[in-house]
Amino acid sequence: MLSSVKHALTRRRRAATVIATALLTAGAGLTFAPSASADPFRCPPDVGSDSQSLCAHVIKIDPGSSLTVRSGPGSGYSNVGSLPNGAIVEVECWTYGSAVQGYTIWTRLYSAGGSRYVSDYYLDTGHVQNFLPRC
């Protein structure tokens, strides 16, 4: 009987060790993992129009594809360009437009050559309404 109690305690200790290790590993991963939704950041000097401009990364674009840039805040507006995944873009303001994956916020990109919009669904802006003015 004593050996079966020792065996049960050993199994419980091992199980506790495995659980504690898993929790610590998961906690470490959560601590250092990048946020799923980031915030706009200060543009690098070679991208931004000035030292106070904010930028974002293009995300969620399939390899070999590109993000269509529109003349207005919706998929019905004309195509005025495209951006690859990971591109850094200067963001100016946000507005509502047609839904993309259920998300209706569109971000206007800085452009000296006219209006350029992309669905904010494809940018790592987080809650863009907290950082940019409404267009």
Side-chain angles (χ1 to χ4, degrees):
M1 174 135 167
L2 185 56
S3 68
S4 64
V5 171
K6 279 183 164 180
H7 185 64
L9 286 175
T10 301
R11 282 192 318 211
R12 285 186 184 155
R13 283 187 193 131
R14 284 183 186 155
T17 301
V18 168
I19 291 170
T21 302
L23 290 173
L24 287 173
T25 302
L30 292 174
T31 302
F32 299 108
S35 164
S37 60
D39 297 327
F41 55 90
R42 293 284 176 218
C43 295
D46 60 328
V47 176
S49 59
D50 63 52
S51 63
Q52 298 303 306
S53 57
L54 293 174
C55 279
H57 289 102
V58 173
I59 58 172
K60 300 179 187 170
I61 305 300
D62 292 331
S65 298
S66 59
L67 173 61
T68 301
V69 180
R70 303 282 181 181
S71 63
S75 55
Y77 286 86
S78 62
N79 176 344
V80 295
S82 62
L83 296 163
N85 199 50
I88 298 174
V89 294
E90 184 176 347
V91 293
E92 286 190 323
C93 58
W94 67 273
T95 190
Y96 292 107
S98 62
V100 173
Q101 300 292 324
Y103 199 68
T104 59
I105 294 176
W106 285 68
T107 301
R108 185 169 72 197
L109 307 178
Y110 174 79
S111 172
S115 293
R116 295 168 31 113
Y117 290 83
V118 295
S119 170
D120 198 65
Y121 174 80
Y122 294 106
L123 299 178
D124 67 348
T125 55
H127 296 285
V128 70
Q129 306 93 316
N130 295 336
F131 298 96
L132 295 177
R134 188 166 177 182
C135 301

